[in-house]
Amino acid sequence: MEYKIRHDYFLACKEEEYHVNYQKLLANMPVGIFMLGRKNKELLFYNKVIARLARMHSEMSRANSNESVTKANIMDAINNFVQKKGKETLGTVVQNWQGERLDKKHKYKYKKNGHKMVCSIKGLRLPLRSQESEVFFLEDQTAFEELSKLESKYQKLYVASIVHDIRSPLNGVMGIIEKIDAQSNDPVVKVSVDIARKTCQMLLFLTYDITDFSQLEAHKFKANPEKVVVKEVFEEITELLAFNFETKGLICNTMIKESVPKYVLTDRHRYMQILLNLLTNALKFTFKGSITIEASYDALSNQLITFVTDTGIGIKQEDIPCLLYTSD
């Protein structure tokens, strides 16, 4: 929710009646509002939201609920709001602000004695009565923040449920495919069974991608390094996509340079995922010619380097910088 203050109405506050009425309006607004004099930074006004925040932070007892809130109480509370992705405090923002308008898009987090709050800040510099004043608006984002966390939690549960619901029937289909393969000696049936098996494997790879994405969001992603034979990985991935190459009439070339050791310590499953993604993308945009997978090893950096090249339409030069970014 956004609250807009009319500049001309503030100017009208030079008259005492409007000034009092407007202060009453601001006092009951659901956003935190306080005013400071521009020259000496004295506290001119604060509303109920700011008063509650200052009392909560200063731990004023209920018996002293009528005790006046001072500028020190307010600034002490505001100084405890720290930028979520940085070290800047709201107090620093208020003290260092220069200009006519303040509109910080960052969120600031407060946490003390079990109390939590997230807010954003806006400000206006306006003439009020006989001096220029700085008016600050603190909008409470705590409810939105909690709602966002709850939404993220249920989204992860939903994704996990979807992955499970996809894998269960796929495993059932894989079991039937293996049973047909064991019972039939017909070469035509064998080819069809092989295609069905590879298709199921590709769908399982997709569920692994979804799971990995959820783990990355939860900061729980872990690699599983093991001894991997690169040649075996290349053979497996090309066999998996053999039908796709055959359908499009493309040639699949594999090249493993002598620098590549027999065993490479890496996460086999993720390496397969990356290769599968690159190859399926190459297959999508290649209509004739070939696709080549090449592996080499850099002993200095101890890295396995893999290239996937194709004779497809390629990428426009101006689009290359956008490859690692999502489109708007």
Side-chain angles (χ1 to χ4, degrees), residues 138-174:
L138 267 62
E139 188 169 0
D140 191 348
Q141 302 280 339
T142 311
F144 297 104
E145 193 80 3
E146 293 300 321
L147 184 63
S148 177
K149 288 180 181 178
L150 193 63
E151 183 182 4
S152 178
K153 176 185 175 181
Y154 282 105
Q155 184 180 12
K156 289 170 186 175
L157 289 173
Y158 177 73
V159 169
S161 176
I162 289 293
V163 169
H164 178 268
D165 290 344
I166 292 174
R167 282 181 183 171
S168 296
L170 271 178
N171 288 327
V173 172
M174 286 287 284

Side-chain angles (χ1 to χ4, degrees), residues 7 10-14 125-133:
H7 182 79
F10 254 108
L11 292 175
C13 289
K14 291 179 180 178
R125 182 165 287 159
L126 296 168
L128 186 63
R129 280 186 167 181
S130 60
Q131 64 174 308
E132 198 167 29
S133 305

